[in-house]
Amino acid sequence: MGVLKNIVAAAGVLAAAGIGETVYFYNRTMKRGNAKTDRTIKMSGTDWEKYFPLIEKRKEFVLAKEHRDVYVTSFDGLRLHAVYFPALEEYQDKNKSKKAVICFHGYTGEGLSNYASFADYFLKHGYAMLMPDARAHGESEGEYVGFGCLDRKDALVWIDWMIQECGEDIQIMLHGTSMGGATVLMTSGLKLPLNVKGIVSDCGFTSPKEVFTHVLNNMYHLPAFPAIQGADLLNKKFAGYGMDECNARNEVQKAEVPILFIHGSADTFVPCSMCDEIYDNCRSPKRKLIVEGAAHAESYYKETERYEKELDTFAEQIFCN
């Protein structure tokens, strides 16, 4: 009988420890304010310091151009924020149709700060540009991170805003990095306006459940159970979605617009194998660029010319002149 009591007591201790681990993991990763940018940068393994001079130079160029804050209301009543840059007249080809890009940033990032470098390319190629802050990020409202599962619904609102702003003849590209990459891939499975001509996903993941399982197993050498399973239950209750409820691998099977997949071969945060898996499941026209030696979200900076050339080629394929 004493042995049984000891077993029951031990089980209780383990259960309590599991609950504590789950709550700690959930609060640390899913709630606004607890998910820290410096921690994300450390986990990503990318040496951003060497790119800071370029980023600052490009940010200075971008901020000198006309831009304004815009706001919309999400499907669940949140006030969402973005920064909008009209197309620069000096870079527009009068003989070609109007085009725009909507850019979705990564986990713990913000639209303008994460996409200032890309803005140099897009604005100089005649795009109007919209850089939203994801829910629970930047100036957008929300307590819980959407991890693409909710952000894809917000993407539909931003697409509608862009059409209203630029006109029914605007042609739109969606571009996302990391969590933003997952967002645009998840958006591909929805019924999109005909204005959306193509999607670019840079280091996007399959689902929050799978990417955090990878991080716990491979970076922290910890078991995913019970933290992931417990976080899934908590997230369904508080945020309204399961952590594998929307998986990019499944959504691209319903995609109708062309998709360009970009990933770094040395990405340890979101493994390149996820890109290959999603690419193999994609049923729409597709292209893939793997940048050798690039860490997480580093592809554009490591091989800028090659990256931009791939964007040029993709744009020529998807936009109607």
Side-chain angles (χ1 to χ4, degrees):
M1 198 68 175
V3 173
L4 180 60
K5 283 184 177 180
N6 288 338
I7 292 174
V8 171
V13 171
L14 289 173
I19 293 171
E21 178 186 346
T22 294
V23 172
Y24 175 77
F25 171 79
Y26 184 75
N27 286 334
R28 185 178 168 90
T29 59
M30 305 300 291
K31 292 188 71 174
R32 182 187 199 116
N34 294 340
K36 303 295 185 181
T37 303
D38 56 349
R39 188 165 68 239
T40 304
I41 291 174
K42 184 178 179 179
M43 287 192 300
S44 75
T46 306
D47 179 13
W48 288 110
E49 188 172 346
K50 61 185 175 183
Y51 299 120
F52 283 162
L54 171 65
I55 293 171
E56 288 303 313
K57 181 180 178 180
R58 290 195 166 190
K59 190 172 184 179
E60 184 179 349
F61 162 79
V62 169
L63 290 177
K65 304 303 177 184
E66 177 190 351
H67 61 281
R68 71 179 191 272
D69 296 308
V70 295
Y71 298 89
V72 297
T73 302
S74 70
F75 71 95
D76 52 352
L78 298 178
R79 190 171 188 249
L80 303 178
H81 167 263
V83 179
Y84 174 66
F85 288 80
L88 299 177
E89 188 173 348
E90 62 266 35
Y91 293 107
Q92 286 186 290
D93 188 333
K94 302 302 180 184
N95 298 317
K96 292 188 176 182
S97 300
K98 296 186 298 183
K99 58 187 180 181
V101 61
I102 306 177
C103 300
F104 298 88
H105 65 78
Y107 179 56
T108 71
E110 294 181 12
L112 180 59
S113 63
N114 283 193
Y115 268 95
S117 294
F118 285 92
D120 183 272
Y121 168 83
F122 284 120
L123 293 178
K124 289 180 180 177
H125 283 74
Y127 290 80
M129 191 174 184
L130 185 69
M131 294 174 272
D133 291 339
R135 59 175 51 219
H137 290 74
E139 294 184 37
S140 289
E141 293 181 342
E143 184 176 0
Y144 299 98
V145 180
F147 276 108
C149 301
L150 297 182
D151 303 305
R152 67 179 187 150
K153 297 180 181 180
D154 299 334
L156 293 179
V157 181
W158 288 120
I159 291 167
D160 288 342
W161 183 91
M162 185 68 88
I163 295 171
Q164 293 176 27
E165 174 68 23
C166 298
E168 292 292 334
D169 59 340
I170 189 68
Q171 298 183 86
I172 300 172
M173 175 193 291
L174 305 181
H175 188 292
T177 304
S178 192
M179 186 180 78
T183 295
V184 296
L185 292 175
M186 294 176 185
T187 303
S188 74
L190 301 175
K191 186 65 177 178
L192 298 174
L194 295 177
N195 305 74
V196 178
K197 301 300 182 181
I199 290 172
V200 180
S201 172
D202 186 336
C203 61
F205 52 76
T206 50
S207 73
K209 177 182 178 181
E210 292 181 357
V211 76
F212 278 119
T213 296
H214 165 78
V215 168
L216 286 173
N217 289 342
N218 295 280
M219 299 181 70
Y220 290 96
H221 307 292
L222 294 171
F225 181 84
I228 298 295
Q229 289 74 12
D232 183 58
L233 293 174
L234 290 173
N235 212 50
K236 287 176 181 176
K237 177 178 177 60
F238 295 113
Y241 70 95
M243 294 180 69
D244 200 41
E245 182 179 306
C246 185
N247 191 304
R249 177 180 59 246
N250 302 328
E251 294 307 308
V252 296
Q253 294 179 18
K254 299 177 283 185
E256 296 181 355
V257 301
I259 301 177
L260 168 59
F261 296 84
I262 301 174
H263 218 104
S265 69
D267 192 335
T268 57
F269 191 31
V270 178
C272 195
S273 58
M274 280 195 181
C275 175
D276 295 333
E277 182 182 2
I278 303 169
Y279 178 87
D280 290 343
N281 278 274
C282 182
R283 294 295 174 262
S284 64
K286 56 191 177 182
R287 297 175 63 89
K288 182 165 62 173
L289 170 64
I290 303 300
V291 178
E292 292 299 322
H296 187 64
E298 189 188 17
S299 294
Y300 179 66
Y301 300 92
K302 192 170 188 66
E303 291 199 27
T304 304
E305 185 176 347
R306 186 179 173 205
Y307 193 116
E308 292 184 349
K309 185 176 180 180
E310 191 67 29
L311 287 179
D312 290 341
T313 301
F314 188 62
E316 289 174 2
Q317 293 176 348
I318 67 172
F319 292 131
C320 304
N321 294 330

